[in-house]
Amino acid sequence: MVIRRAAACLRLAQPRGIRGSARDYGRVQRRFSSSSSTPSATPVTTQSPAAPLASITSELDKISPRFDVSADSIEILRSPGEFYETLKAKISKAQRRVYLSTLYVGKKENDLIDTIRASLKAHPDLKVSLLTDALRGTREAPNPSCASLLASLVREFGPERVEVRMYHTPNLTGIRKAVLPKRINEGWGLQHMKLYGVDDEIIMSGANLSDDYFTNRQDRYHVLKSKNITDYFYQVYRTTCNLSYNVIPTDKASDGFVLEWPIQNVQPEPLSDPQGFIASATRVLQPLVKAAPNAQVSEKGSDTHIYPLLQLTPLLRPDTSTELPALTAILRKLGTPEFAGSKWTFTAGYFNMTPEVRKLLMDSRPASATVVAASPWANGFYGSKGVSGMLPAAYTHLSRRFMDAVSEAGLSNQIAVKEWRKGTVNTPGGWTYHAKGIWITLPGQHYPSISLVGSSNYTKRSYSLDLEANTMIVTSNPDLQRRLGEEEKWLQEHATIVTRDDYAKTERRVGLHVRLAMWIVTLVGGAL
């Protein structure tokens, strides 16, 4: 009875753009098809990889701005601890600007705040800006929260030097916003971009700024030492700030802050006029998203290209986002004879890729491929209270359906599924897995030439409700290819192959709770 009532209540509040049956995640849709039906047993070709790589860049040049850089301007970090220490070190030395876009800052991250505080005191010309999500950032209010923690910096240094912005989705307003519980309302859209810019360098990642992401939650972290790319993402960041609420410290509110819509912002605000807000957002964001010759910056003799890819679907009418078009364009290319013999690795913390992406991965008919996902015991929702605690079982069920689809397509000898596990979540030494991305190795090559890194989880939610930022690296540089290959390898050090027999074990049996969790996953578009 409780479940039926909860289902009825949530259906009334269900956001547009994510309706559908849980069965959609288990079947191979026919809407999208590869341009080739390359046989499954395709030998590796001996052709030069230059032609396929040029074909990829030609396709991406139609979709996104491009930045040509030196391969040694890309540094790949390995661990949460290395990410945190690198971020703090860069903030400590910052001279002009620090801009940090994240889903949230942990409410107890005093060490990070102290690092920012010390740098502001040491460098009088430094200005700091932080962008988070309004729903996640105020979830605990009036108790201590992300918003109250960051407001303390504004109070100490003033709005001239410290700015805190919080994006609020236009999908959640009125009665729906008033009645939905805070833990559920995040399913209607979030500010999910992870951009960590300091002076003329930026760290692209999927990690948020909280203790687990600094200690025991595995992600990916690419440091891009390029003023041009850092400036580009700052434009994206600055524009999103002008579409977001300002956090103002105040003693008059019990939680120590208020959210204010500045007159200098794009008008109107999302909570008063969602459609007008989206129209205004479209006007200011579209010029940044689309490919344009004046956004392409070259370095002489460069053998490495970086394409910034943005998924800003909630704010664009029509939707001119670039991440999904770029990803699907490349995956379709892999299914053509020119790319026969290619290899790839795909990973996501939450196993809930869209049917389109799943179908295109299989249509590529790779020489070999690996999908890496979090084990149920390495899932961030493992052990959670309430409905979110059922999500690890739901994601496991989705991976089983993917494996069934691989088998039905006759690709079991080519595509392997691995689960990442390092201990058990919420126990001593236990880690969670949050890494996402893709590595593509061209025919005849030993290491990847193409890699996508950033915030996206490749889910329905990523492509319809959240704001995402990523970079696609395309390189012919042997050293960078080797380093990308090492990253692809070390992320699998704690991953083991799972088989269909593994899913028959008692702890993985599908029960009513899994079916309920499947429905919830469908409802919120991928993850709470």
Side-chain angles (χ1 to χ4, degrees):
M1 179 63 72
V2 173
I3 291 173
R4 285 199 298 271
R5 287 179 179 174
C9 176
L10 286 172
R11 276 197 298 271
L12 290 174
Q14 186 173 353
R16 226 176 306 171
I18 56 174
R19 293 184 183 272
S21 166
R23 291 190 300 270
D24 292 342
Y25 292 83
R27 66 169 180 257
V28 176
Q29 294 190 352
R30 298 182 180 276
R31 180 180 174 189
F32 301 92
S33 60
S34 168
S35 57
S36 170
S37 55
T38 309
S40 58
T42 306
V44 174
T45 126
T46 57
Q47 68 171 323
S48 165
L53 203 61
S55 176
I56 291 291
T57 57
S58 176
E59 195 72 31
L60 292 173
D61 284 342
K62 302 172 187 175
I63 298 171
S64 165
R66 186 186 83 201
F67 295 87
D68 297 345
V69 301
S70 61
D72 58 8
S73 69
I74 301 175
E75 179 184 2
I76 303 174
L77 307 181
R78 179 164 181 161
S79 68
E82 187 179 6
F83 163 60
Y84 188 39
E85 293 306 319
T86 299
L87 178 63
K88 288 197 299 180
K90 292 185 182 301
I91 291 173
S92 296
K93 298 176 182 178
Q95 299 294 319
R96 297 181 293 106
R97 66 178 176 186
V98 171
Y99 68 93
L100 308 175
S101 171
T102 186
L103 175 58
Y104 65 98
V105 177
K107 61 185 178 182
K108 297 181 180 179
E109 291 310 315
N110 295 307
D111 181 50
L112 176 62
I113 298 303
D114 286 344
T115 300
I116 296 174
R117 179 180 291 111
S119 191
L120 283 163
K121 291 179 178 178
H123 307 110
D125 294 328
L126 177 63
K127 294 185 178 181
V128 175
S129 179
L130 297 103
L131 170 67
T132 73
D133 182 77
L135 297 174
R136 177 62 68 89
T138 61
R139 180 201 287 175
E140 298 90 351
N143 296 319
S145 65
C146 166
S148 61
L149 176 68
L150 299 182
S152 67
L153 276 177
V154 182
R155 184 189 302 274
E156 182 174 355
F157 293 95
E160 299 80 15
R161 298 196 66 197
V162 178
E163 172 191 47
V164 178
R165 294 294 187 119
M166 290 195 166
Y167 165 86
H168 193 293
T169 176
N171 291 329
L172 187 68
T173 60
I175 295 176
R176 179 189 291 166
K177 178 176 172 63
V179 302
L180 281 173
K182 289 185 177 181
R183 189 65 178 89
I184 296 294
N185 64 15
E186 296 168 17
W188 272 257
L190 297 169
Q191 193 304 107
H192 201 247
M193 298 187 295
K194 319 298 166 64
L195 304 170
Y196 304 127
V198 180
D199 287 341
D200 295 331
E201 298 180 358
I202 187 170
I203 302 176
M204 299 296 299
S205 181
N208 293 305
L209 300 180
S210 66
D211 181 67
D212 50 348
Y213 288 95
F214 300 152
T215 55
N216 58 8
R217 191 165 174 82
Q218 183 65 56
D219 215 298
R220 297 178 68 200
Y221 329 90
H222 283 201
V223 183
L224 307 181
K225 303 173 184 179
S226 164
K227 182 180 186 302
N228 293 321
I229 294 174
T230 308
D231 284 348
Y232 171 84
F233 276 114
Y234 182 71
Q235 291 182 63
V236 174
Y237 174 91
R238 185 69 259 157
T239 304
T240 309
C241 283
N242 292 337
L243 295 164
S244 302
Y245 287 89
N246 203 9
V247 177
I248 306 296
T250 178
D251 295 328
K252 296 180 181 180
S254 60
D255 38 22
F257 69 91
V258 294
L259 298 184
E260 176 187 86
W261 192 259
I263 191 65
Q264 299 87 356
N265 265 19
V266 170
Q267 300 293 333
E269 63 180 289
L271 293 179
S272 63
D273 183 1
Q275 295 310 312
F277 170 76
I278 293 171
S280 297
T282 298
R283 286 194 295 271
V284 296
L285 285 171
Q286 275 188 340
L288 292 173
V289 172
K290 64 182 180 181
N294 61 1
Q296 296 184 13
V297 181
S298 299
E299 292 186 10
K300 188 175 180 181
S302 171
D303 53 13
T304 301
H305 317 298
I306 292 181
Y307 295 88
L309 301 178
L310 303 171
Q311 197 69 32
L312 306 175
T313 302
L315 301 179
L316 296 173
R317 299 289 186 278
D319 186 6
T320 54
S321 298
T322 53
E323 181 207 322
L324 183 59
L327 176 61
T328 54
I330 289 178
L331 294 181
R332 287 192 181 96
K333 282 278 189 182
L334 294 186
T336 65
E338 181 183 17
F339 289 85
S342 295
K343 304 174 184 178
W344 51 257
T345 295
F346 176 91
T347 187
Y350 306 112
F351 197 103
N352 194 16
M353 67 184 83
T354 67
E356 175 187 10
V357 171
R358 183 184 64 232
K359 179 66 163 56
L360 289 172
L361 285 171
M362 290 195 297
D363 278 352
S364 69
R365 318 291 291 189
S368 66
T370 303
V371 174
V372 183
S375 156
W377 298 274
N379 188 291
F381 294 106
Y382 181 80
S384 296
K385 296 179 180 179
V387 292
S388 60
M390 292 181 277
L391 293 177
Y395 291 125
T396 300
H397 191 51
L398 289 168
S399 67
R400 177 178 182 172
R401 289 184 173 182
F402 174 79
M403 191 172 291
D404 289 342
V406 168
S407 178
E408 291 172 7
L411 296 170
S412 296
N413 291 330
Q414 293 148 264
I415 300 178
V417 175
K418 291 184 176 182
E419 285 186 347
W420 192 98
R421 181 179 183 183
K422 187 176 181 181
T424 299
V425 181
N426 301 322
T427 65
W431 284 43
T432 52
Y433 184 75
H434 197 247
K436 45 253 190 167
I438 191 168
W439 298 258
I440 297 172
T441 300
L442 297 178
Q445 294 286 288
H446 296 293
Y447 300 114
S449 300
I450 302 163
S451 187
L452 178 62
V453 62
S455 64
S456 180
N457 286 308
Y458 315 109
T459 63
K460 278 189 175 183
R461 175 168 165 170
S462 295
Y463 297 136
S464 60
L465 296 171
D466 291 347
L467 307 186
E468 309 282 7
N470 310 269
T471 51
M472 181 78 79
I473 299 171
V474 182
T475 183
S476 59
N477 180 273
D479 180 66
L480 180 55
Q481 290 177 350
R482 176 189 58 79
R483 290 189 284 124
L484 288 170
E486 289 174 351
E487 180 192 37
E488 180 185 28
K489 183 178 180 181
W490 82 52
L491 278 173
Q492 298 181 54
E493 287 179 356
H494 299 283
T496 55
I497 293 177
V498 291
T499 67
R500 298 174 79 185
D501 290 340
D502 291 322
Y503 293 111
K505 295 178 180 178
T506 302
E507 65 268 23
R508 292 176 182 261
R509 287 180 182 172
V510 178
L512 177 61
H513 70 294
V514 175
R515 300 180 192 278
L516 174 60
M518 285 290 298
W519 174 78
I520 294 170
V521 168
T522 304
L523 175 71
V524 300
L528 289 173

